[in-house]
Amino acid sequence: MDIFCIQGPVRLSGQVTVNGAKNATLPIMAATLLAEGVSQIRHAPDLADVSLFCKLLRELGCKVERPRKGLLVIDATKIDRPFGDYEIVRRMRASICILGPLLARCRHAEVSMPGGCAIGDRPVDIHLCGLQALGAKIELKGGYIIADAPNGLTGTEVFLGGPFGSTVLGTANVMMAATLAKGRTVIESAACEPEIADLARCLRKMGARISGIGSPRLVIDGVKQLRPFKHTVIPDRIEAGTFMIASAITGGHVTVKNCRLEHLMAVVEKLRATGAIVEPDGDGCTVSMEGPIRPTDITTLPYPGFPTDLQAQFMALLALAKGNSVVVEKVFPDRFMHVAELNRMAANLRKEGPAVLVTGVKELIAAPVMASDLRASAALVLAGLAAKGVTTVNRVYHIDRGYERIEQRLNALGAKIFRENPDAKTEPPQTERD
Ligand code: EPZ
């Protein structure tokens, strides 16, 4: 299992280019199942999760090639068996978004329930209610979702709001299923995340009839058939935000290229509240932090609110603020596995239910820490950049799921991160992934 050895403190400077969005690429890979023929996805990031999704599509009967960096070529002409195996789904929750397309195309699908993960319970009840509303018969058997629609799906009004707001992949599943349903589907309380808007634009290229893209009300008029597509995915706003926070926490000066500031306004506003200077710069922005980090409060919310996927990274920044902050997690209330690890590095964080009270400290001290999930591991890397001494982050396979060669790209900005494999002979365990 690889570990990172991170020498700190460092001050980052220079330019980094953001890759295509993981959370747009995965549902768009699922969308290829809706049409016979060969689709192309450009700017797809080279991540463990994308490779795992390629494996999932091959197991369904698709031909998947990656002829060059960033390009996925997927031939979904033949689907041998609409079956999402537990061995893959338990490792990558995003696999659940093959359910809607398989049901729409094959009128039958068997997909493993994803189960929980480090950031909390990951129920799919809203996905299933949405598909049932479209006429699917859903049964749970032996940990699998068995979905049937022998006469096809029928459009209707669907409400996708839950106790924590809408559901991103639930919206993806229902929207994709509705593209081939008979008649009109109106999705109320749809997720407005940019990745869902990108998926909707890709579905339109396939011939789907969708309006309200980017709004909480999507209207889909079903069509008989869809065609394969060529699509370039949007930049990864979470990766962009991670690099922006890396500049701020190290008192650096970093230009983040290929990022859409309009997808990150909540984060820009909070970075500026900490005293960071965030300036638009061509197709990206420049982030610098000259003075002391100022405290501020953040509450995570569905888009366009502060993204839960940047909560851990921002908490690492606030841990070094001159004063106290409060971090409230409203999307995944248990998403605090990074708190204990940051406290091992001399942070002063106290969890109170769905909130963490952050008492800023003068400095973080390097320590051995354990990555638990994708974004928590990113937070530990950022803390290691600012901490005094050598921080070792264990189980970095978590971070490889969502960040391409992160240590090489951070080192190009002045970081000193060494990837080591103390027991080179063994493979990382096939553990759960959020
Ligand atoms: C997507 O997960 C992202 N993953 C997550 O990013 C992200 O944190 C999350 O959206 C929220 O923005 C991908 O896009 C691959 P949800 P998703 O359904 O769709 C509850 C990362 O780090 N809920 O929007 O699974 C759920 O428990 C990952 O890249 C139900 O109650 O999240 C949660 O509290 C981590 N019932 C809230 O809704 C349901 O049927 C939001 O979950 C579905 C969800």
Side-chain angles (χ1 to χ4, degrees):
M1 266 190 290
D2 287 3
I3 65 170
F4 278 164
C5 296
I6 306 171
Q7 168 72 45
V10 294
R11 187 183 291 266
L12 298 186
S13 65
Q15 179 175 302
V16 64
T17 300
V18 173
N19 289 322
K22 166 178 84 83
N23 291 351
T25 301
L26 299 177
I28 288 170
M29 290 174 78
T32 62
L33 296 167
L34 288 164
E36 295 187 8
V38 182
S39 296
Q40 291 190 18
I41 303 170
R42 293 184 290 263
H43 283 196
D46 184 11
L47 300 172
D49 272 13
V50 172
S51 303
L52 198 52
F53 215 102
C54 290
K55 180 173 163 37
L56 180 63
L57 292 177
R58 288 189 184 108
E59 290 197 353
L60 293 171
C62 301
K63 290 196 193 79
V64 182
E65 271 139 47
R66 305 171 82 165
R68 59 174 163 73
K69 179 167 168 28
L71 178 61
L72 291 175
V73 179
I74 299 169
D75 181 351
T77 305
K78 239 165 54 59
I79 294 178
D80 301 327
R81 189 174 170 221
F83 177 77
D85 187 72
Y86 174 63
E87 275 317 302
I88 295 187
V89 178
R90 74 177 178 81
R91 290 159 53 194
M92 180 180 58
R93 199 184 169 290
S95 318
I96 192 68
C97 66
I98 64 172
L99 180 61
L102 285 177
L103 185 59
R105 166 108 181 256
C106 310
R107 301 190 167 186
H108 176 80
E110 293 178 36
V111 180
S112 166
M113 291 283 279
C117 69
I119 66 176
D121 285 353
R122 305 298 295 272
V124 291
D125 55 315
I126 305 173
H127 298 235
L128 302 184
C129 287
L131 295 173
Q132 278 172 320
L134 292 175
K137 193 167 126 336
I138 304 271
E139 200 191 342
L140 302 183
K141 215 160 137 196
Y144 279 80
I145 300 160
I146 318 284
D148 271 304
N151 306 316
L153 298 168
T154 308
T156 184
E157 292 251 330
V158 182
F159 180 74
L160 292 185
F164 305 99
S166 186
T167 159
V168 172
L169 290 179
T171 301
N173 256 330
V174 174
M175 176 168 65
M176 288 192 277
T179 59
L180 290 174
K182 291 181 210 65
R184 171 166 286 194
T185 297
V186 177
I187 301 178
E188 294 290 359
S189 191
C192 303
E193 273 67 7
E195 295 77 22
I196 293 300
D198 202 31
L199 169 65
R201 281 190 291 274
C202 177
L203 290 169
R204 268 193 180 155
K205 289 182 185 174
M206 299 178 77
R209 292 169 54 204
I210 302 175
S211 58
I213 293 180
S215 85
R217 187 173 192 272
L218 290 171
V219 179
I220 303 114
D221 289 313
V223 294
K224 282 224 172 319
Q225 202 173 16
L226 294 171
R227 55 183 178 266
F229 61 86
K230 287 183 181 167
H231 187 79
T232 301
V233 295
I234 55 172
D236 193 318
R237 62 191 167 106
I238 304 303
E239 181 181 85
T242 303
F243 284 121
M244 291 162 73
I245 297 166
S247 179
I249 199 173
T250 60
H253 184 93
V254 174
T255 298
V256 181
K257 303 296 282 177
N258 187 37
C259 90
R260 303 248 180 100
L261 275 192
E262 70 270 24
H263 291 166
L264 281 161
M265 288 323 289
V267 180
V268 169
E269 189 229 350
K270 286 299 176 182
L271 274 173
R272 285 175 174 153
T274 66
I277 299 160
V278 183
E279 283 163 335
D281 181 345
D283 72 337
C285 67
T286 295
V287 179
S288 46
M289 176 77 87
E290 273 127 32
I293 299 165
R294 292 201 298 261
T296 188
D297 299 340
I298 61 167
T299 298
T300 68
L301 287 167
Y303 189 86
F306 192 96
T308 176
D309 291 348
L310 283 169
Q311 177 257 105
Q313 300 92 315
F314 211 91
M315 188 183 289
L317 175 65
L318 295 175
L320 284 167
K322 264 175 97 78
N324 302 339
S325 309
V326 179
V327 175
V328 181
E329 174 56 66
K330 288 262 177 104
V331 180
F332 290 106
D334 298 332
R335 192 174 196 169
F336 289 130
M337 295 287 280
H338 44 285
V339 168
E341 299 305 306
L342 290 170
N343 281 341
R344 287 177 48 74
M345 298 176 71
N348 184 346
L349 311 172
R350 202 175 82 234
K351 189 174 169 312
E352 293 287 341
V356 168
L357 310 181
V358 181
T359 306
V361 294
K362 258 176 74 54
E363 66 177 3
L364 294 175
I365 311 293
V369 288
M370 187 72 74
S372 53
D373 60 271
L374 168 52
R375 307 303 176 183
S377 31
L380 298 177
V381 170
L382 299 192
L385 296 175
K388 204 164 145 206
V390 179
T391 298
T392 50
V393 180
N394 293 282
R395 299 186 180 172
V396 294
Y397 58 81
H398 284 293
I399 206 161
D400 291 334
R401 291 185 46 220
Y403 297 91
E404 201 179 310
R405 298 175 297 103
I406 192 162
E407 77 277 16
Q408 292 172 21
R409 297 157 79 200
L410 286 171
N411 288 344
L413 295 171
K416 294 181 194 120
I417 305 175
F418 305 95
R419 181 188 287 257
E420 294 188 2
N421 188 341
D423 37 19
K425 52 191 174 309
T426 57
E427 279 300 300
Q430 311 286 19
T431 62
E432 282 161 6
R433 296 164 180 249
D434 49 5

